[in-house]
Amino acid sequence: MPTPHGKTWVEVSRSALAQNAATLARAIGQKVKLMAVVKSNAYGHGINETVRALSKAHVDWFGVDALREAKIIRETGSKKPVLILGYTPLAALKDAMRSGFSLTVYNHETVTALGRIASAKHPAKIHLKLETGTSRQGLLAKDIVSFAKTLKKNPHVVVEGMSTHYANIEDTTDHAYAMSQLSRFNAMVRAFGVAGVTAKEKHTACSAAALLYPQTHFTMVRAGIALYGLWPSKETHVSVENSGKKMTLRPALAWKTIVAQVKILPKGSSVSYGLTEKLTRDSKVAVIPVGYWDGFDRGLSSIGHALVRGHRAKILGRVCMNMCVIDATDVPGIRIEDEVTLIGRSGKEVITTEDLAGATGTINYEIVTRINPLIPRVLVA
Ligand SMILES: *Cc1c(COP(=O)(O)O)cnc(C)c1O
């Protein structure tokens, strides 16, 4: 097969993204909005490509980490509302507000700065982030009254939403802590109400909460990982299955490269930096032009695999910056420029994002988000 995308590329399935969005929309029901979280280059899937692929899907909002990403969404032509989930520096507020994006806010300083630049014609739309136990971004319950005062002094700063984020919903099948956060959220929303501050949108659920607990849905859920066809964790998958729900997610991403060289080396040859691995038999090895710079973790040295012609080939020795070497002894007919799969299927073999996460001691989220954004993303059926 010819390789029009250079020596490595990421294939993203439109139909998988659309199907996962439909699965999520069905799970939350028609009355709840779906925010597609496309931060971190759409979890490595390519923000531009993902937003385009979702243009006809049941997606109501987009969520990003930063202004820069929000602007990429507009460049695709999408007019859907965008919420910036992360911190927006004070110096960037004017740009963000003028561009019409909604901002996550939890500091008095941000409200005051927005108040100075907002007007009746250009109101600032904010979502208050409430601290309920994750101890990350969010305003404390004890500050509600003073925050409400700051808001009253800045009438063109409009509270469009209130939100929180769970600390311990993916990592466990015991959701008592998440439920305590949920009740704290409800109490804080009520306290804001007493102080005269209400919001149209209320949202707390990431993928795991969206799939497990309808009481976390409120008016909208913020789904990232599930949209890409990946389970937030084994625990979430087990919890959903135990609840009797039938739900299939389809991984949307495959990562490919090609063979750069094939050669025969004698038993005893050392392969790659540090002489960490010696061939235990006369071997056919293949060089593949992907390394840790590309996001192929150095922790995969000597333990990872690649797929060629439907066969599994082990990584030999250290993963280098821009390349690594695989054992192709058992890959019949392997040739230069054969397609190589790093994540995805080849014949009957498959390497999942979870396989790579397990091998390197991390989570599927990190594996996909760290695929170098400069590698081309190609939309496929
Ligand atoms: C990243 C993020 C999400 C999405 O989480 P998933 O587990 O990927 O669904 C939701 N909300 C916030 C605030 C986030 O930062």
Side-chain angles (χ1 to χ4, degrees):
M1 191 191 126
T3 54
H5 315 299
K7 57 188 182 180
T8 181
W9 66 99
V10 169
E11 293 177 1
V12 177
S13 163
R14 287 173 192 278
S15 60
L17 286 174
Q19 204 174 310
N20 297 329
T23 299
L24 279 162
R26 215 174 316 118
I28 62 178
Q30 287 192 343
K31 294 200 182 103
V32 179
K33 296 184 188 112
L34 177 61
M35 175 187 288
V37 178
V38 293
K39 67 192 181 197
S40 306
N41 201 26
Y43 290 43
H45 293 62
I47 181 168
N48 177 300
E49 293 76 9
T50 299
V51 169
R52 284 194 286 123
L54 289 171
S55 63
K56 294 201 184 71
H58 293 269
V59 166
D60 303 287
W61 280 68
F62 285 106
V64 295
D65 176 61
L67 174 59
R68 174 181 54 77
E69 300 167 321
K71 289 186 169 178
I72 296 173
I73 293 177
R74 284 291 174 267
E75 284 164 15
T76 68
S78 171
K79 303 218 162 40
K80 287 180 181 162
V82 177
L83 173 62
I84 298 176
L85 298 164
Y87 180 69
T88 303
L90 301 174
L93 290 174
K94 194 174 202 168
D95 190 359
M97 198 197 81
R98 285 283 157 88
S99 305
F101 302 128
S102 299
L103 302 170
T104 299
V105 172
Y106 39 85
N107 291 319
H108 286 276
E109 291 86 341
T110 305
V111 177
T112 309
L114 283 171
R116 276 199 288 272
I117 53 181
S119 61
K121 196 167 162 223
H122 290 290
K125 295 174 283 184
I126 68 169
H127 292 225
L128 296 175
K129 184 75 172 257
L130 310 183
E131 177 57 74
T132 59
T134 299
S135 306
R136 210 173 61 174
Q137 299 187 110
L139 65 96
L140 295 166
K142 71 172 181 54
D143 297 327
I144 288 175
V145 171
S146 69
F147 221 90
K149 280 192 189 135
T150 305
L151 287 163
K152 283 222 179 72
K153 280 189 219 142
N154 295 282
H156 300 310
V157 179
V158 178
V159 178
E160 184 181 45
M162 293 191 197
S163 73
T164 196
H165 193 54
Y166 298 105
N168 196 29
I169 204 150
E170 291 89 359
D171 300 331
T172 174
T173 52
D174 172 7
H175 295 121
Y177 194 80
M179 292 304 113
S180 77
Q181 287 192 267
L182 175 62
S183 59
R184 227 168 285 150
F185 178 74
N186 279 317
M188 289 181 76
V189 170
R190 274 196 303 275
F192 262 116
V194 169
V197 180
T198 56
K200 182 163 150 242
E201 305 293 348
K202 289 186 231 14
H203 46 100
T204 71
C206 57
S207 295
L211 296 176
L212 290 170
Y213 295 110
Q215 65 268 45
T216 65
H217 291 177
F218 296 92
T219 65
M220 173 154 74
V221 306
R222 309 181 303 260
I225 199 87
L227 182 67
Y228 305 102
L230 303 175
W231 285 92
S233 66
K234 261 201 198 96
E235 289 79 359
T236 307
H237 197 169
V238 168
S239 298
V240 168
E241 290 199 330
N242 287 349
S243 73
K245 286 176 214 147
K246 282 262 176 296
M247 191 173 299
T248 318
L249 296 175
R250 240 180 85 197
L253 177 148
W255 187 7
K256 307 279 179 75
T257 181
I258 54 175
V259 172
Q261 188 186 11
V262 181
K263 61 190 160 199
I264 309 287
L265 293 175
K267 178 178 170 179
S269 306
S270 290
V271 181
S272 191
Y273 288 128
L275 319 180
T276 55
E277 183 156 5
K278 266 198 173 67
L279 298 176
T280 57
R281 55 178 176 174
D282 291 344
S283 303
K284 183 165 57 174
V285 307
V287 178
I288 57 173
V290 168
Y292 55 80
W293 182 78
D294 299 278
F296 197 68
D297 198 285
R298 193 164 174 275
L300 294 165
S301 297
S302 284
I303 60 170
H305 290 88
L307 306 177
V308 195
R309 296 183 175 233
H311 293 269
R312 202 165 267 272
K314 192 180 83 84
I315 307 294
L316 291 168
R318 294 234 174 106
V319 172
C320 309
M321 193 183 288
N322 301 108
M323 57 190 84
C324 57
V325 182
I326 58 175
D327 181 358
T329 312
D330 300 323
V331 184
I334 186 171
R335 293 199 325 180
I336 176 178
E337 302 216 351
D338 271 358
E339 184 175 288
V340 178
T341 300
L342 302 173
I343 297 175
R345 266 175 201 292
S346 171
K348 292 203 175 86
E349 289 284 350
V350 62
I351 295 175
T352 65
T353 301
E354 289 72 23
D355 291 337
L356 298 192
T360 52
T362 185
I363 52 176
N364 51 5
Y365 291 76
E366 187 177 358
I367 297 294
V368 285
T369 56
R370 291 188 68 187
I371 301 174
N372 191 315
L374 297 179
I375 296 174
R377 269 61 177 177
V378 184
L379 284 173
V380 298

